[in-house]
Amino acid sequence: MIKQAIQTLRQQIKQHDYAYYVLDAPQIPDNEYDQLFSELQRLEQQHPKFITLDSPTQRVGATPLTQFASVQHRQKMLSLSNAFTADEVRDFALRLQKQLKQSVIDCVAEPKIDGLAISLRYEHGQLVQAATRGDGNAGENVTQNVRTIKSIPLSLLGDAWPQILEVRGEIFMPKKGFHALNQQRRTTGEKTFANPRNAAAGSLRQLDAKITAQRPLDFLSYGLGEVQGFTLPASYLDILQQLKAWGLPISVEARLLHGIDACLTYAQALAQRRDALPYDIDGIVYKVNDLALQNQLGFIARAPRWALAHKLPGQEQSTQVEAIHVQVGRTGVLTPVAQLKPVNIAGVMVSSATLHNANELQRKDVRVGDTVVVRRAGDVIPEIVNVVLSKRPPSGVPFVFPPCCPVCGGALAQVVDQVAIRCTAGSLCPAQRKQALAHFVSRDALDVNGLGAALIEQLVDKGMVQTVADLYTLTLEDWLSLDLVADKTAHNLLAALENSKKTTLPRLLYALGIPEIGLSTATLLSQHCADLHQLSQASAENLLTIKGIGEVTARCLLDFFQSPDNQRLIAQLHHLGIQTEKIDIKQKLAGKTFVLTGTLSQMNRQQAQAALENLGAKVSTNVSKKTDYLVAGDNAGSKLHKAQQLGIKILDETRFNQLL
Ligand code: JCF
């Protein structure tokens, strides 16, 4: 009986290992895999006579692939023991205290990045080899690919480096890069990656390094392998500082903490910031800081005794598909959405997930009744990673995509050069009309207080408004004819609409919902045009002289302003008294000093600097007490750290855009 159970578990784990490591296509979420693994470990511990050499518990990782040459690690590449609860973390601390005969131990805590472990070998300061972990003893030679990763130095800085230095760390794909890569693959109908870890693995395992070079991979160091000709510093923190001095990237999040309670507090704070971090993490790593103490503690088979991975809840969970709906977006694009049996994913209840487009729905073959793996990360819409085929009910039938617009019955057409399909009815389609209206009155647009989706729904369904201009012609009686609208609400709505007539050009421009014109582009355009009328007369040449406006955006603007419907709308809005006040933008940020650091997704350094200077701000390169604001994009490093220490106001990209 027990033997049978053990064998079944091993077989399951083996299949999941293959799907995860070899195919880069995991079938179940990590936490379910962990459960299988723990269960096997438990049974084997209770019945050691059934342990065999080929049990997955008896090796560190997966077998190396055959395409790449094998590399024998001169020092074993370690993994980490796991803890899943605060109690297990405290147990770890108790073990340390007992073995070291100390009551409080200094540990370094850092995020556990969800990527791939790598060993970089530098000989006489030159990068000569990069190898994956493989099974811990031997990995794959991926040197050519790793050389394309820009954050990895090909030669070390300075000259006081060891003859031989092996740096261990994590290669990963930052979330932004991952989403951009998937978005691009989605529009062209290519297969998307399940998560950043898989994308990083797939990118690193390319036989053609030219492909790897195009992928947004990054690296952070967290340890050493073989070292010759150098006396190691006394602590982990000093090792990190030394690596940094040699030009290797290290985490800005690593902190020296006194005792286990401080570690748990750190973990709690980091877990709260998880979604905002630029990379996926699957936990927190704690390490004894003092290397002499580390040596005293030593290792167990696959992991050091002086380190622990405190795992966070998985960002993937499985649940069931209750229905599949096709939604029509503001621009008419059709998006299939799965309605799910609600499931808690890393602290947030998820009850629907996007299937992106017909192509992806078909490729993943998601069916009503299927058990699926759902992924939620950050504020991105949850998505379906894959179907657990072994749990598909026999009654499941493939989903049939509607042949015409599911809302208005209008004809569908493929978006040029993309796989996206859109309803061609434009504002005649109630779904598009409703969303255009909702967008127009939204907070960043004309900000009409109190006019929510439920009211817009009624206005459109009753045929009371066709365009956004019609909102301003509604009378008190019109409003009172709606459900949920009493006297006070009706008066408030009329007042809110009247108020909204006095607005700014960026808001109005954004409110029109022109493709490609988000709030920051609208702001940029507004800095070059007096009003909407002037912008509508601008030629392609005029538009392209604006730094930050490219061909695609210019085309979208021209198309929009050329349409007779839109021309009529703009004239109507003008007659209704919608006015854009001229703000003296030159004065807005006069006297303020800004420092820019990290990468912004929507503009480059020059554009951001120009936008600030246009508003009268000064942009300087170094953080000092005189700095008013630090604008911190992705992968911000030492400047962010310094600004935090000086207590300077820090703006992330969203807040920076709002400010502009
Ligand atoms: O970020 C990580 N995934 C990570 C992995 C960080 C560490 O400090 C590690 C690790 C694996 C092994 N340290 C060891 C010893």
Side-chain angles (χ1 to χ4, degrees), residues 328-545:
V328 183
R330 179 160 58 82
T331 57
V333 172
L334 267 54
T335 306
V337 174
Q339 188 187 314
L340 307 168
K341 190 165 160 235
V343 61
N344 186 318
I345 308 183
V348 175
M349 287 308 284
V350 172
S351 56
S352 69
T354 180
L355 286 155
H356 295 291
N357 56 47
N359 180 280
E360 194 149 319
L361 169 60
Q362 193 179 42
R363 189 158 41 71
K364 289 181 177 163
D365 187 19
V366 179
R367 306 179 182 188
V368 175
D370 270 347
T371 297
V372 291
V373 176
V374 181
R375 180 184 146 79
R376 178 194 77 84
D379 37 20
V380 182
I381 306 164
E383 57 184 14
I384 288 186
V385 177
N386 60 277
V387 175
V388 182
L389 282 176
S390 57
K391 293 194 183 159
R392 169 167 285 167
S395 58
V397 288
F399 181 77
V400 182
F401 211 77
C404 56
C405 175
V407 174
C408 73
L412 301 181
Q414 188 112 18
V415 178
V416 181
D417 290 337
Q418 293 186 11
V419 294
I421 292 169
R422 82 166 20 131
C423 160
T424 55
S427 65
L428 295 177
C429 171
Q432 292 178 62
R433 204 183 310 154
K434 283 172 191 171
Q435 286 172 87
L437 287 162
H439 177 75
F440 188 83
V441 302
S442 68
R443 230 184 59 190
D444 288 341
L446 290 213
D447 192 18
V448 182
N449 234 322
L451 187 44
L455 294 181
I456 289 174
E457 184 98 12
Q458 294 185 62
L459 291 173
V460 172
D461 289 346
K462 295 186 177 180
M464 293 163 73
V465 291
Q466 311 296 325
T467 72
V468 293
D470 296 341
L471 287 173
Y472 293 95
T473 60
L474 293 171
T475 62
L476 187 65
E477 289 70 42
D478 289 333
W479 285 113
L480 287 170
S481 75
L482 302 181
D483 290 346
L484 304 168
V485 179
D487 217 41
K488 184 154 177 264
T489 314
H491 280 103
N492 286 347
L493 283 163
L494 284 170
L497 279 162
E498 197 54 39
N499 261 333
S500 74
K501 288 182 180 176
K502 255 194 133 130
T503 186
T504 64
L505 186 52
R507 279 176 179 273
L508 180 59
L509 199 46
Y510 170 70
L512 292 172
I514 305 167
E516 296 290 320
I517 311 298
L519 209 47
S520 51
T521 308
T523 308
L524 187 63
L525 288 166
S526 306
Q527 292 175 347
H528 293 86
C529 295
D531 53 29
L532 198 55
H533 179 74
Q534 195 187 26
L535 181 61
S536 72
Q537 304 299 310
S539 65
E541 293 74 45
N542 284 339
L543 292 169
L544 288 170
T545 59

Side-chain angles (χ1 to χ4, degrees), residues 145-263:
N145 290 341
V146 164
R147 285 174 62 91
T148 68
I149 300 174
K150 297 199 180 62
S151 51
I152 294 180
L154 294 178
S155 55
L156 298 178
L157 293 183
D159 46 15
W161 5 264
Q163 283 134 29
I164 290 173
L165 173 74
E166 278 183 10
V167 181
R168 265 92 196 255
E170 201 82 357
I171 285 180
F172 59 95
M173 191 176 285
K175 289 181 198 169
K176 279 249 172 72
F178 165 72
H179 289 301
L181 177 65
N182 260 3
Q183 193 55 41
Q184 174 218 321
R185 291 171 75 87
R186 194 170 286 127
T187 49
T188 54
E190 281 171 280
K191 189 177 187 303
T192 51
F193 290 105
N195 54 47
R197 202 209 77 89
N198 279 286
S203 302
L204 197 64
R205 257 204 222 115
Q206 289 292 331
L207 287 170
D208 180 0
K210 285 202 196 76
I211 299 179
T212 312
Q214 289 159 13
R215 301 285 172 78
L217 294 176
D218 208 339
F219 172 78
L220 287 174
S221 335
Y222 55 65
L224 299 174
E226 188 187 13
V227 179
Q228 274 183 34
F230 191 81
T231 319
L232 291 184
S235 73
Y236 177 58
L237 219 51
D238 290 342
I239 289 180
L240 291 181
Q241 285 314 315
Q242 179 58 263
L243 288 173
K244 188 174 173 187
W246 283 327
L248 287 148
I250 60 168
S251 174
V252 293
E253 303 286 349
R255 295 282 181 278
L256 180 62
L257 301 168
H258 189 58
I260 206 65
D261 287 333
C263 288

Side-chain angles (χ1 to χ4, degrees), residues 77-81 110-117 133 168-171 220-224 236 240 280-287 299 302-304 306-309:
M77 279 187 82
L78 304 167
S79 61
L80 296 165
S81 307
E110 64 187 24
K112 182 168 183 293
I113 297 169
D114 202 2
L116 292 106
R133 168 151 58 207
R168 265 92 196 255
E170 201 82 357
I171 285 180
L220 287 174
S221 335
Y222 55 65
L224 299 174
Y236 177 58
L240 291 181
D280 259 11
I281 64 171
D282 59 346
I284 295 105
V285 183
Y286 309 123
K287 287 183 175 172
F299 306 89
R302 58 186 237 135
W306 41 262
L308 184 73

Side-chain angles (χ1 to χ4, degrees), residues 51-66:
I51 297 181
T52 58
L53 254 186
D54 67 352
S55 171
T57 59
Q58 304 300 302
R59 64 168 170 182
V60 181
T63 4
L65 291 180
T66 46

